[in-house]
Amino acid sequence: MSLHLSNVDARRIFLAKQGLSRPRGPLTKAGLLELITDLGFVQVDSIATVERAHHHILFARNPNYRREQLSRLIEKDGELFEHWTHDASIIPSAFFPYWKHRFARSRETLAARWRQWHENGFETYIDHVFERVKTEGRLMARDFEAEKRPPGGWWNWHPEKTALEYHWRTGNFAIAGREGFQKVYDLAERVIPARYYAGEVSREEFVDWACTSALERLGFATHGEIAAFWGLLTPDEARAWVAANARRLEPVLIAPADGTRPRASHAFKGSGDAFAALPAPPPRLRVLNPFDPLLRDRNRTERLFGFNYRIEVFVPAEKRVWGYYVFPLLEGDRLVGRIDMKADRKAGTLDVRRLWLEKGVRASKARLAALDTELARLGTFAGVERTVYLDGWLGE
């Protein structure tokens, strides 16, 4: 028989699994590492409309989060490292042995593609950049002087930057830190602690870990959602793992927010009691980052919460429905709206341009007061002094 989960229960389970039902008490460095390990990863992004994604994601889960703790865990303790999941992310270094399988895949796929970008002497750049980082250590792209640096985006990287990224994505280099938001590269063996760097796992162990750890963090999932969580496997590999581990799993039917037919998923056998014990999220209103892991799978978010969300950063201004960088609002177990705002650090203000509430959600005095409290808290974290509501922010 299948385990049936109501939409309310499914939302509660997923919110708890995503760290949004945790208590707001003091957060030690060890507690921060535990939080990130429980999440699996925290996405890194350079946009700082209010605050950079990784800081905002952690702050949303505990307002006692401190940036310097994250820096120490990465740059001093080596307990976290930067690499790719579905995008650039901060990942526990304990997972580094599993990422070696990603490095191997990248060596196969990236060399041919990147050689086409810089056909003349690409291997020379690869060797030159490796030797210089090996000798000097802790270098950035700006430390390499190219004779001609073409303008444009990442696809127009100069050859040394391409070589740095090649070595990073294939595991030869690791990110030793950042200056501003610029990556500082060094040999991975000098960045990743030896107890993690030396670890090896077989292909079978890697696939089992990738699927098991993904399902643990999702609670319930289809094989496609399992594969997409880390971005390490194909859907076919996850499908094969589900078939091979049928005795460990049980079918689950998840009621969607729109009341349509329940969606078939998988969970670990005996999950019902564990799911029932998970806490409900606090009722307070919170601003989430557009790159929050709760929202990473947009289709899953829409099924569970009835909330259609897309980032419009790369959409031409005239074609945007909402705005350049619009933040979702979580209230209890519901996504109740979105807000367009920007921190003006010179003026010391958090400028609110527009608020949109979901259908059936009222702009009551209590809700607007809760929003004001949350924006004041977030503004203080982002380094501004007060919230300014611009004309027309309520759509009047």
Side-chain angles (χ1 to χ4, degrees):
M1 292 180 61
S2 297
L3 175 65
H4 290 255
L5 292 177
S6 70
N7 183 249
V8 170
D9 281 341
R11 293 201 310 270
R12 175 180 56 81
I13 292 161
F14 190 44
L15 285 162
K17 290 290 186 178
Q18 294 303 300
L20 287 160
S21 302
R22 299 168 77 102
R24 291 192 288 169
L27 185 65
T28 64
K29 187 174 67 169
L32 176 58
L33 178 60
E34 179 185 5
L35 170 58
I36 296 172
T37 301
D38 288 347
L39 292 175
F41 62 86
V42 176
Q43 185 170 339
V44 177
D45 193 78
S46 62
I47 298 173
T49 300
V50 173
E51 182 52 87
R52 288 198 168 112
H54 45 295
H55 295 313
H56 188 184
I57 288 166
L58 295 168
F59 176 80
R61 283 151 178 80
N62 192 319
N64 296 305
Y65 161 71
R66 300 199 303 276
R67 299 171 187 83
E68 59 269 22
Q69 289 181 332
L70 184 67
S71 296
R72 285 199 294 269
L73 285 168
I74 297 172
E75 299 178 22
K76 302 296 183 183
D77 302 343
E79 290 294 336
L80 299 168
F81 76 107
E82 284 192 41
H83 215 270
W84 283 84
T85 54
H86 66 290
D87 212 317
S89 299
I90 295 167
I91 306 162
S93 295
F95 301 165
F96 188 82
Y98 301 101
W99 252 254
K100 291 181 179 180
H101 289 267
R102 183 179 190 120
F103 303 152
R105 186 180 69 193
S106 295
R107 279 191 289 273
E108 295 176 0
T109 60
L110 293 181
R113 186 188 346 153
W114 289 14
R115 189 177 296 115
Q116 293 174 3
W117 294 355
H118 303 290
E119 292 180 353
N120 296 325
F122 182 72
E123 286 83 357
T124 300
Y125 286 112
I126 289 287
D127 294 341
H128 165 69
V129 167
F130 181 85
E131 288 301 321
R132 189 168 166 197
V133 170
K134 179 181 178 181
T135 302
E136 301 178 39
R138 299 183 64 87
L139 294 176
M140 295 181 287
R142 70 188 185 201
D143 295 316
F144 293 84
E145 295 297 331
E147 293 183 3
K148 183 178 181 181
R149 298 190 178 190
W154 62 267
W155 54 89
N156 280 329
W157 285 338
H158 59 81
E160 294 90 345
K161 170 63 174 175
T162 302
L164 285 166
E165 287 290 301
Y166 172 82
H167 283 301
W168 174 53
R169 298 198 191 191
T170 57
N172 297 325
F173 293 168
I175 306 303
R178 286 182 181 263
E179 291 188 12
F181 203 69
Q182 299 299 307
K183 295 172 184 170
V184 180
Y185 303 85
D186 202 351
L187 294 183
E189 63 196 79
R190 295 198 291 236
V191 175
I192 308 299
R195 62 187 179 278
Y196 304 134
Y197 182 80
E200 298 286 345
V201 294
S202 68
R203 179 71 189 179
E204 182 179 356
E205 291 171 321
F206 162 68
V207 171
D208 183 64
W209 175 85
C211 292
T212 299
S213 59
L215 187 54
E216 288 171 344
R217 287 163 175 79
L218 291 167
F220 50 84
T222 65
H223 73 272
E225 291 169 339
I226 291 171
F229 182 82
W230 296 111
L232 295 172
L233 302 174
T234 67
D236 285 344
E237 287 175 311
R239 188 197 303 272
W241 178 84
V242 167
N245 288 270
R247 292 185 178 181
R248 297 172 59 192
L249 307 176
E250 64 178 319
V252 186
L253 292 176
I254 311 297
D258 63 5
T260 56
R261 188 173 65 180
R263 182 179 178 85
S265 295
H266 309 282
F268 287 112
K269 189 165 289 185
S271 291
D273 290 342
F275 287 163
L278 291 173
R284 69 185 180 93
L285 189 148
R286 282 177 280 183
V287 175
L288 299 184
N289 190 270
F291 295 106
D292 195 282
L294 186 76
L295 307 159
R296 190 201 66 76
D297 185 335
R298 308 296 188 213
N299 293 328
R300 184 179 172 101
T301 300
E302 188 163 3
R303 285 195 305 273
L304 291 179
F305 296 91
F307 189 75
N308 182 283
Y309 183 74
R310 299 291 182 273
I311 295 176
E312 297 181 307
V313 168
F314 300 110
V315 176
E318 66 277 7
K319 294 184 178 180
R320 290 175 190 147
V321 176
W322 308 105
Y324 172 75
Y325 201 77
V326 173
F327 299 81
L329 299 176
L330 176 68
E331 184 182 71
D333 68 349
R334 296 192 301 160
L335 288 164
V336 297
R338 61 201 86 202
I339 188 167
D340 185 4
M341 58 185 178
K342 181 178 175 62
D344 184 338
R345 290 178 174 80
K346 289 185 178 179
T349 59
L350 181 63
D351 297 339
V352 177
R353 298 166 175 165
R354 183 71 188 271
L355 171 71
W356 298 269
L357 295 175
E358 291 291 279
K359 184 178 179 180
V361 178
R362 294 192 308 111
S364 65
K365 288 184 178 180
R367 182 167 281 120
L368 294 182
L371 176 63
D372 192 60
T373 299
E374 171 68 0
L375 295 183
R377 185 184 295 115
L378 180 58
T380 299
F381 179 69
V384 297
E385 300 167 359
R386 59 194 177 93
T387 305
V388 173
Y389 297 93
L390 304 181
D391 290 345
W393 74 279
L394 269 175
E396 300 172 350

